[in-house]
């Protein structure tokens, strides 16, 4: 089950048989959240190891439920993906993130997560085009983060979608790389500008008995060969940063540099020179 994997759904459903009912409750609450002001974005810096500068920020959705408090995107995104609501959430996130980025230095990009459900929607390129036109942001500053799950559909359709998106001038990143199946065949023709190495490799990269550090090195080498950038995700500790750096990574994202921040905090950090 989409929601069962990490057990977060137990937050809502204490019993399996209640799950469907709870799912409906989440969905109803989420619809209200989108109309009200319970949903917002936070932005997590992607940092150049060499310069220490923030080169990009990833927009991450947040939901503050009036009674239940903070609900994790790991809980509510899969529920939204089972309905049309993910398209509304995704469009809102894209526009909000582009608007936020307009207040950052022009050299800094914004990354926005795109669900496979959005990607499968024929109208998605129009949604992106409208967000670009509406905000007036330079398309080259916008990076769409896609996961391998977009490749389930028809090959020709997928290829057409890639072409349409690239023709808008946005950048494409392959998120959570290394966690799905047959990742390499996906890289053959897909026009990604960036690969994001999944946190799971970083978690064990300091353990000598694991292959994680070598895999990170190999992914960095692979994306270099393919003229793609690499961001290593989920770096929390200094010894992890050392390993990741030694393996050739240039961009990192993780709690070691910063947790996701409110836009006000992002602006303060640019203002004070902390991010540049
Ligand atoms: P993701 O796209 O892989 O995002 C990275 C997640 O790792 C974020 O969790 C971030 O807070 C967390 N993270 C970053 N650095 C560290 C670290 O050093 N340590 C630890 N422990 N965690 C770190 P978050 O915000 O809870 O989001 C979880 C997932 O929910 C995202 O994973 C993404 O798949 C989904 N998501 C979030 N926002 C959106 C959105 O706007 N649209 C869509 N479709 N999915 C979203
Ligand atoms: Ca992401
Ligand atoms: Ca990721
Ligand atoms: Ca992930």
């Amino acid at each position: 089950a989409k929601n069962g994997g990490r057990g977060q759904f137990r937050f809502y459903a204490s019993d399996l048989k209640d799950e469907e009912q709870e799912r409906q409750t989440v969905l109803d609450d989420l619809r209200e959240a989108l109309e009200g002001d319970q949903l917002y974005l936070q932005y997590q810096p992607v940092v150049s190891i060499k310069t220490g500068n923030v080169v990009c920020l990833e927009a991450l959705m947040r939901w503050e439920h009036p009674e239940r408090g903070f609900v994790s995107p790991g809980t509510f995104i899969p529920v939204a993906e089972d309905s049309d609501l993910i398209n509304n959430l995704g469009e809102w996130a894209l526009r909000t993130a582009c608007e936020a980025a307009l207040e950052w230095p022009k050299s800094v990009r914004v990354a926005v997560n795109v669900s496979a459900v959005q990607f499968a929607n024929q109208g998605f390129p129009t949604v992106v085009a409208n967000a670009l036109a509406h905000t007036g942001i330079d398309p080259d500053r916008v990076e769409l983060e896609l996961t391998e799950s977009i490749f389930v559909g028809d090959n020709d359709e997928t290829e057409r979608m890639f072409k349409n998106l690239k023709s808008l001038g946005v950048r494409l990143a392959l998120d959570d790389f290394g966690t799905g199946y047959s990742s390499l065949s996906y890289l053959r023709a897909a026009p990604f500008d960036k690969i994001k190495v999944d946190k799971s490799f970083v978690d064990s990269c300091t353990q000598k008995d694991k292959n994680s550090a070598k895999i990170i090195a190999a992914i960095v080498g692979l994306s270099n060969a393919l003229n793609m950038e690499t961001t290593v995700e989920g770096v929390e500790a200094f010894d992890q940063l050392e390993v990741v750096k030694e393996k050739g990574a240039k961009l990192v994202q993780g709690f070691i540099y910063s947790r996701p921040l409110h836009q006000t905090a992002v602006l303060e950090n640019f203002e004070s020179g902390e991010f540049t």
Side-chain angles (χ1 to χ4, degrees):
K2 267 189 187 170
N3 57 31
R6 279 166 280 172
Q8 287 136 321
F9 212 63
R10 261 177 273 137
F11 181 78
Y12 268 91
S14 55
D15 197 312
L16 263 179
K17 70 171 189 278
D18 297 333
E19 199 176 289
E20 194 40 51
Q21 206 184 325
E22 291 287 355
R23 175 179 290 277
Q24 198 53 51
T25 308
V26 180
L27 209 51
D28 293 342
D29 286 2
L30 203 46
R31 278 210 181 86
E32 250 172 66
L34 186 60
E35 279 159 25
D37 56 359
Q38 300 167 32
L39 282 180
Y40 57 96
L41 297 178
Q42 286 191 325
Y43 303 92
Q44 188 180 29
V46 176
V47 178
S48 157
I49 299 179
K50 196 156 96 186
T51 64
N53 289 348
V54 173
V55 298
C56 177
L57 292 107
E58 178 180 1
L60 295 159
M61 223 181 269
R62 300 290 178 251
W63 181 15
E64 188 73 43
H65 189 288
E67 284 113 42
R68 301 178 197 259
F70 177 76
V71 184
S72 153
T75 300
F76 70 79
I77 295 282
V79 177
E81 282 176 332
D82 277 350
S83 87
D84 272 350
L85 196 58
I86 190 64
N87 294 313
N88 305 70
L89 287 181
E91 182 168 7
W92 168 81
L94 185 62
R95 285 197 179 213
T96 306
C98 289
E99 271 161 19
L102 288 175
E103 301 186 76
W104 309 340
K106 285 204 163 51
S107 60
V108 178
R109 297 194 164 104
V110 62
V112 183
N113 290 288
V114 174
S115 159
V117 178
Q118 290 173 269
F119 187 88
N121 186 340
Q122 296 258 351
F124 182 60
T126 307
V127 169
V128 177
N130 287 344
L132 296 172
H134 182 260
T135 58
I137 193 166
D138 176 359
D140 185 49
R141 292 182 62 194
V142 179
E143 201 162 79
L144 303 180
E145 297 197 0
L146 309 166
T147 61
E148 286 170 4
S149 54
I150 61 165
F151 291 101
V152 293
D154 179 71
N155 276 339
D156 294 340
E157 285 291 318
T158 305
E159 218 169 293
R160 204 170 319 136
M161 183 59 79
F162 276 131
K163 266 205 198 103
N164 287 338
L165 291 175
K166 284 312 291 180
S167 74
L168 297 173
V170 295
R171 288 163 51 94
L172 302 178
L174 183 54
D175 202 358
D176 302 342
F177 186 75
T179 57
Y181 304 102
S182 59
S183 323
L184 295 180
S185 70
Y186 297 147
L187 291 176
R188 208 150 45 197
F192 290 109
D193 301 284
K194 178 185 270 185
I195 290 175
K196 297 192 79 172
V197 179
D198 192 70
K199 179 180 187 299
S200 56
F201 296 105
V202 177
D203 288 340
S204 49
C205 78
T206 53
Q207 289 171 247
K208 291 276 179 290
D209 58 330
K210 295 275 169 65
N211 287 326
S212 299
K214 289 172 195 161
I215 293 173
I216 292 172
I219 298 175
V220 170
L222 177 68
S223 59
N224 283 347
L226 296 172
N227 274 321
M228 297 176 190
E229 290 185 338
T230 323
T231 296
V232 179
E233 284 194 284
V235 180
E236 294 178 345
F238 186 72
D239 55 347
Q240 292 174 338
L241 182 64
E242 284 292 287
V243 171
V244 162
K245 192 172 150 187
E246 184 203 304
K247 298 306 173 193
K250 303 219 161 37
L251 302 176
V252 293
Q253 177 179 356
F255 293 174
I256 190 166
Y257 280 113
S258 175
R259 288 178 180 262
L261 303 168
H262 289 284
Q263 169 77 343
T264 47
V266 172
L267 295 178
E268 276 166 25
N269 280 294
F270 278 124
E271 190 79 20
S272 70
E274 183 67 29
F275 276 179
T276 47

